[in-house]
Amino acid sequence: MTTIAPSGNEPVDLLVVGAGPAGVAAAVMGASLRLRVTLVEAVAVGSKVAAIGALENVPGAWLTGPQLAAAFAADIARHQDANRLTVVQARATAVTGHRDRAEVVLADGSLLTAATVVAATGVTALTPQDVDWIESTGAVNVPPLWRATPEELEGREVVVLGADRPLGTWLRAHPRTDARLHVLHTAHDSYKTAEVADDSRVRFTPAGRVEIAERSGGGYDVTAYHPDGASRSARADVVLGNLGSKPSALSGLVIGPDGYCPPEAQHPRVLVAGDLKGARMQRIAVALGDGGRAALIPYYRSLENGFAPSP
Ligand SMILES: Cc1cc2nc3c(=O)[nH]c(=O)nc-3n(C[C@H](O)[C@H](O)[C@H](O)COP(=O)(O)OP(=O)(O)OC[C@H]3O[C@@H](n4cnc5c(N)ncnc54)[C@H](O)[C@@H]3O)c2cc1C
């Protein structure tokens, strides 16, 4: 993506943090309404969806994440070329609403100012440190299953921690891989295993507790303690996480008891869109609608305040 450094901080009408479906929809809607828009993205436009092998429920016949991410990037580039949108590649750390403006702090300490901020930073994968049923000795690297490629896993002993839904997505996205996944999960996740129970590439082991230790010669020793007390140890070449997700909340957002950021609790100049809003309804179509709606709110406010969009 073409980016600019966040210098010369001219206040804009709409500052969007996060360029997933929600942030892209907000930025595109704002730019098409002739609001001055800045989009802050830490990785790349559509970086999350770009790693999803197979998509469902996305209007427009988008069947793979890379296709959709490329379309998002092209749309953002089109608005950049028309000078309607500025993209800043940076990680935002905090947001603050004031009576007359909202501010976003970036990781390098710079400050961006806007009439309205849309926070659309989505969710990030839970790690073993985030759950109480996994203990690890040393710093065990547990990348998310859904970002793994079949080539990384074929012919290796693979242990997957957790039976969250991306398991089914991964298997659907790679129907021809013969990678074998040994999934350790709690009773809480048992109901999610039904979707892939017939897939012979997956083996499930219910566990009340799991211990992981890195082996000096490479790989891991993994011990699963069954809820009835019996334990079983195995060696793994690769350990992947599939534990669910947690919100990527910026400091300054109002956070609810579940860690998510309810839109109605935020400062009036700080809007929340997409997965960051709550654990339910985490879908691309919902995020797109949320983002577009979030950009319309400052637009109608600006009309009420006598603002004339630039020609
Ligand atoms: C494996 C998997 C499969 C899925 N399959 C489907 C499906 O088939 N159909 C469907 O509808 N949904 C699916 N989803 C859900 C869908 O991906 C999400 O609902 C959607 O991406 C949410 O969009 P969002 O814009 O809220 O967040 P995201 O897409 O997560 O985008 C957030 C963006 O914010 C950026 N960001 C985060 N923190 C910061 C920061 N501090 N500063 C700057 N930028 C930041 C990130 O880099 C990212 O680009 C799937 C999800 C997963 C994990």
Side-chain angles (χ1 to χ4, degrees):
M1 64 187 166
T2 312
T3 57
I4 62 148
S7 54
N9 175 17
E10 283 292 310
V12 293
D13 301 309
L14 183 65
L15 179 52
V16 181
V17 186
V24 166
V28 166
M29 179 68 82
S32 66
L33 294 167
R34 306 296 190 266
L35 299 177
R36 291 165 299 160
V37 180
T38 295
L39 175 61
V40 178
E41 166 57 46
V43 183
V45 173
S47 61
K48 167 81 159 287
V49 294
I52 301 174
L55 288 180
E56 288 181 311
N57 312 320
V58 186
W62 298 104
L63 299 179
T64 75
Q67 289 172 346
L68 182 61
F72 285 160
D75 213 3
I76 292 298
R78 187 169 61 87
H79 285 285
Q80 279 183 281
D81 291 347
N83 290 323
R84 291 181 185 164
L85 179 65
T86 300
V87 178
V88 174
Q89 180 150 25
R91 181 163 292 280
T93 58
V95 59
T96 316
H98 300 277
R99 191 189 52 78
D100 59 343
R101 68 193 188 287
E103 292 172 341
V104 167
V105 180
L106 304 182
D108 68 0
S110 40
L111 188 73
L112 302 180
T113 307
T116 304
V117 168
V118 175
T121 47
V123 296
T124 188
L126 283 170
T127 68
Q129 289 73 42
D130 294 314
V131 300
D132 59 6
W133 59 279
I134 300 173
E135 285 169 33
S136 58
T137 311
V140 176
N141 178 29
V142 181
L145 163 70
W146 66 276
R147 288 186 184 271
T149 62
E151 296 72 39
E152 291 163 16
L153 308 186
E154 280 162 5
R156 309 184 77 190
E157 292 293 329
V158 182
V159 164
V160 177
L161 302 172
D164 203 39
R165 292 245 150 71
L167 178 61
T169 306
W170 194 88
L171 292 165
R172 271 198 309 281
H174 307 294
R176 277 183 285 282
T177 181
D178 63 1
R180 295 283 188 272
L181 308 179
H182 182 186
V183 179
L184 310 181
H185 65 91
T186 59
H188 182 69
D189 267 1
S190 291
Y191 74 101
K192 296 178 186 167
T193 63
E195 187 186 328
V196 291
D198 294 338
D199 195 313
S200 60
R201 297 171 295 173
V202 189
R203 180 160 54 100
F204 290 105
T205 299
R209 191 162 65 83
V210 168
E211 290 173 0
I212 309 170
E214 199 165 355
R215 294 165 70 102
S216 53
Y220 303 92
D221 288 316
V222 181
T223 304
Y225 294 84
H226 193 271
D228 69 11
S231 67
R232 202 170 141 206
S233 295
R235 198 181 73 79
D237 300 314
V238 182
V239 179
L240 298 171
N242 186 38
L243 296 162
S245 50
K246 61 183 175 185
S248 306
L250 301 173
S251 168
L253 289 171
V254 179
I255 296 174
D258 59 357
Y260 284 89
C261 304
E264 63 283 0
Q266 309 302 322
H267 188 281
R269 290 189 180 273
V270 179
L271 308 175
V272 175
D275 282 6
L276 186 60
K277 288 193 321 178
R280 290 189 171 183
M281 305 198 195
Q282 295 188 345
R283 298 288 186 283
I284 289 163
V286 174
L288 288 168
D290 272 353
R293 183 176 187 281
L296 284 166
I297 291 172
Y299 172 70
Y300 287 119
R301 273 186 200 151
S302 67
L303 291 184
E304 282 159 17
N305 295 335
F307 164 82
S310 53

